[in-house]
Amino acid sequence: MLGGKKVIVVVPAYNAEGTIERTLAEIDRSVVDEVIIVDDAGRDRTSELAQVRGDSVITHTANRGYGANQRTCYGEALRRGADIVVMVHADYQYSPRLIPALAGLIASGHYDVALGSRILGNGARTGGMPWWRYVANRALTALENALVGQKLSEYHTGLRAWSREILDALPLAELSDDFVFDSQTLALAILAGANIGEISCPTRYMEEASSINFRRSIRYGLGVVRVSLACRRALRGRPRGVFRSVSMLDVPRSVDQHRHVGIAPAPPLRTIETGDQSGI
């Protein structure tokens, strides 16, 4: 609990056996009420290693993609009554020790979304981010800011915190199963009127850390531009597609002050409950 709010950490994972233990070990259990790991049908021992700490592990029966993995993460966290949901990648590229700080931004009532930014400070390049990724990140972020009227330092982080209210307001069931899911959720949050905060986050680029290749990076970048353009149209009163599912909302909000969009029914999952799940 943090400020009387239930905090659940979700960890989307895929072939993360080299890093999952270190990621889970650095989560502050004095603040975090539950940890949920979702293994997207990886071929290694990620699920087995994740069970050791007694956390909940959900394993997809087939690989569904990064966005679909997060949809399972958020849907399960909301089902278990989370007030604050923090997502951290399983590849140890982002510091789990910052989870209390991110959750605190949400618990303060000042922010609906909080991001751990690799770009604030000097952490990106000193942490080993390849120069071409750094340049692409800065260029995409500048374009996104220009299109949607924000001043964020980064849109592409794998360390994010959400209030229950804003997650409930997003049409998660309609979003991409691929990496552009991240951009869609932030764009929709902006359209919904969310207040977004950031903190500086160190990064670690290493052999075990997951990373999409150059070709998929290009496809991702083009997808981000399309999402930003769609968000700009919606902000100007011409929403299309999923952007028709979100209305401008007053903040701060309570659960009763907005429309619950809901989560799509999940395909068959294998759930391994290894911790004390009393009260769930």
Side-chain angles (χ1 to χ4, degrees):
M1 287 282 181
L2 186 62
K5 297 182 181 294
K6 184 174 184 178
V7 179
I8 294 183
V9 171
V10 296
V11 185
Y14 180 70
N15 291 337
E17 66 177 8
T19 56
I20 187 67
E21 291 178 295
R22 283 176 285 178
T23 299
L24 297 178
E26 291 192 9
I27 295 175
D28 186 348
R29 308 300 171 119
S30 69
V31 171
V32 175
D33 296 281
E34 296 183 51
V35 178
I36 302 169
I37 301 96
V38 179
D39 184 349
D40 196 24
R43 300 179 299 275
D44 63 3
R45 298 171 59 234
T46 295
S47 290
E48 177 186 342
L49 295 172
Q51 295 173 45
V52 173
R53 302 191 66 88
D55 297 317
S56 297
V57 179
I58 296 174
T59 304
H60 286 169
T61 56
N63 181 263
R64 296 175 55 205
Y66 173 71
N69 190 325
Q70 283 199 64
R71 191 180 300 117
T72 298
C73 286
Y74 295 140
E76 184 63 15
L78 294 175
R79 186 185 73 81
R80 297 189 184 199
D83 298 304
I84 299 171
V85 182
V86 184
M87 186 274 289
V88 61
H89 284 181
D91 62 1
Y92 202 55
Q93 186 181 127
Y94 304 86
S95 175
R97 286 183 284 174
L98 293 175
I99 287 171
L102 280 176
L105 290 180
I106 307 298
S108 72
H110 293 304
Y111 299 101
D112 305 283
V113 183
L115 307 176
S117 171
R118 298 166 293 180
I119 303 303
L120 285 175
N122 299 314
R125 292 293 290 135
T126 58
M129 179 185 283
W131 69 267
W132 65 271
R133 287 187 183 278
Y134 179 80
V135 171
N137 187 310
R138 298 305 302 271
L140 272 177
T141 295
L143 178 60
E144 288 169 280
N145 279 332
L147 289 175
V148 304
Q150 296 292 306
K151 294 182 179 180
L152 298 178
S153 67
E154 180 179 18
Y155 288 77
H156 315 287
T157 175
L159 179 61
R160 302 167 178 233
W162 306 83
S163 70
R164 180 184 186 89
E165 289 78 18
I166 196 65
L167 279 180
D168 268 343
L170 302 184
L172 299 178
E174 302 176 37
L175 305 187
S176 171
D177 289 343
D178 210 340
F179 287 96
V180 77
F181 179 95
D182 276 344
S183 294
Q184 290 177 319
T185 52
L186 273 183
L188 288 164
I190 290 167
L191 181 61
N195 292 322
I196 303 175
E198 296 183 285
I199 63 172
S200 179
C201 176
T203 188
R204 312 176 188 91
Y205 274 79
M206 50 193 174
E207 186 176 349
E208 302 97 323
S210 62
S211 184
I212 59 177
N213 58 37
F214 183 77
R215 183 176 180 180
R216 291 197 72 184
S217 295
I218 295 297
R219 188 173 71 181
Y220 168 74
L222 293 174
V224 167
V225 172
R226 286 193 292 270
V227 169
S228 299
L229 288 170
C231 184
R232 182 180 179 86
R233 284 194 298 267
L235 288 167
R236 293 185 170 187
R238 295 180 285 119
R240 299 179 185 176
V242 296
F243 288 90
R244 292 180 176 178
S245 301
V246 176
S247 302
M248 296 296 291
L249 301 171
D250 292 330
V251 290
R253 297 172 294 276
S254 70
V255 176
D256 296 329
Q257 287 177 302
H258 64 269
R259 177 172 53 87
H260 176 77
V261 179
I263 309 296
L269 305 175
R270 182 170 75 255
T271 304
I272 308 167
E273 300 289 3
T274 57
D276 178 9
Q277 302 301 324
S278 59
I280 295 174

